[in-house]
Amino acid sequence: SQTIHQWPATLVQPVGSPLSLECTVEGTSNPNLYWYRQAAGRGLQLLFYSVGIGQISSEVPQNLSASRPQDRQFILSSKKLLLSDSGFYLCAWSAHPGAAETQYFGPGTRLLVL
Amino acid sequence: SQQGEEDPQALSIQEGENATMNCSYKTSINNLQWYRQNSGRGLVHLILIRSNEREKHSGRLRVTLDTSKKSSSLLITASRAADTASYFCATVHTGGFKTIFGAGTRLFVKA
């Protein structure tokens, strides 16, 4: 069966520090991968998605970047965090190819930038 | 951009009652999905209904889709305290790739 991992679960970082959040998927190959951010009590904002290694699409201009160095690894990064980067970050995968179908979410990383 | 909008924003009911949540959207869709999120956790997929379907069931869940009104409803029958969570509808535009999530309905089931 497929599983998706995210770490760390919680992170407190000072403004201006770098960020690296990692997401890995097991039990499937060539998945579509997604990074979302969720503000408290709100819906999900799509940040990046990837249909293959090295293929990244950015949805929202921002202080963040994403990379996919391996088929089942998706990394969210920042060189200098802003206060506004605080939030709950969710990684998800869906079967590839095809239009968006069921997405499977990781447990999330809660980021607090102080 | 299209986005599902859930209604109500929050719902509080007694255990055993039915809970109904609605979702409206603006443009034609390939499919509509409902997800559940427990506090501080990831989302869990509940059910997907395609644009050519009108109703789907899964256990205590019943989803309807009215493409003429661009709306969907999620009914949870005989609710339990464990159903307490946020529920999100998500839409995929016709010809689109991305899934667009609404802001969610917070359901609280009192034991």
Side-chain angles (χ1 to χ4, degrees):
Chain A
S1 64
Q2 302 88 3
T3 56
I4 178 168
H5 304 278
Q6 276 187 255
W7 65 89
T10 305
L11 192 58
V12 181
Q13 291 284 98
V15 169
S17 64
L19 174 74
S20 180
L21 302 181
E22 187 162 346
C23 171
T24 59
V25 181
E26 296 177 357
T28 187
S29 59
N30 199 22
N32 295 327
L33 295 172
Y34 310 84
W35 277 113
Y36 291 90
R37 177 167 57 203
Q38 184 179 31
R42 304 293 298 275
L44 277 66
Q45 178 187 35
L46 179 63
L47 302 176
F48 301 95
Y49 67 91
S50 172
V51 298
I53 296 174
Q55 301 178 60
I56 309 294
S57 295
S58 174
E59 287 298 299
V60 181
Q62 60 212 324
N63 187 40
L64 302 169
S65 61
S67 62
R68 185 171 177 173
Q70 300 181 46
D71 180 45
R72 289 168 286 179
Q73 184 184 30
F74 205 22
I75 297 172
L76 183 68
S77 304
S78 174
K79 292 182 179 177
K80 288 186 178 181
L81 283 169
L82 306 172
L83 287 174
S84 57
D85 291 325
S86 293
F88 191 49
Y89 288 83
L90 289 159
C91 180
W93 73 272
S94 66
H96 181 80
E101 297 275 338
T102 299
Q103 294 192 19
Y104 301 92
F105 285 81
T109 294
R110 189 162 302 283
L111 172 66
L112 179 60
V113 183
L114 300 175
Chain B
S1 62
Q2 171 185 316
Q3 182 171 13
E5 296 180 0
E6 291 91 343
D7 166 52
Q9 291 186 334
L11 181 61
S12 181
I13 60 175
Q14 290 291 138
E15 205 167 31
E17 294 179 341
N18 295 341
T20 300
M21 289 161 269
N22 303 297
C23 172
S24 60
Y25 57 92
K26 294 179 180 152
T27 62
S28 61
I29 59 171
N30 278 334
N31 66 65
L32 185 145
Q33 303 169 43
W34 284 92
Y35 289 80
R36 165 195 168 125
Q37 183 182 33
N38 285 15
S39 181
R41 308 293 293 273
L43 277 71
V44 175
H45 181 260
L46 295 177
I47 200 163
L48 180 153
I49 187 165
R50 301 190 185 282
S51 60
N52 61 352
E53 297 176 308
R54 292 296 168 258
E55 187 171 313
K56 265 188 124 168
H57 296 257
S58 176
R60 292 184 297 113
L61 306 180
R62 173 178 171 255
V63 169
T64 62
L65 179 64
D66 187 334
T67 53
S68 66
K69 295 181 179 178
K70 292 186 170 58
S71 67
S72 172
S73 67
L74 170 66
L75 169 67
I76 303 174
T77 60
S79 64
R80 305 166 182 168
D83 294 329
T84 294
S86 292
Y87 293 82
F88 296 88
C89 74
T91 52
V92 178
H93 309 205
T94 299
F97 173 83
K98 295 177 289 184
T99 303
I100 308 297
F101 288 83
T105 292
R106 292 186 176 186
L107 174 65
F108 181 64
V109 181
K110 293 176 281 188

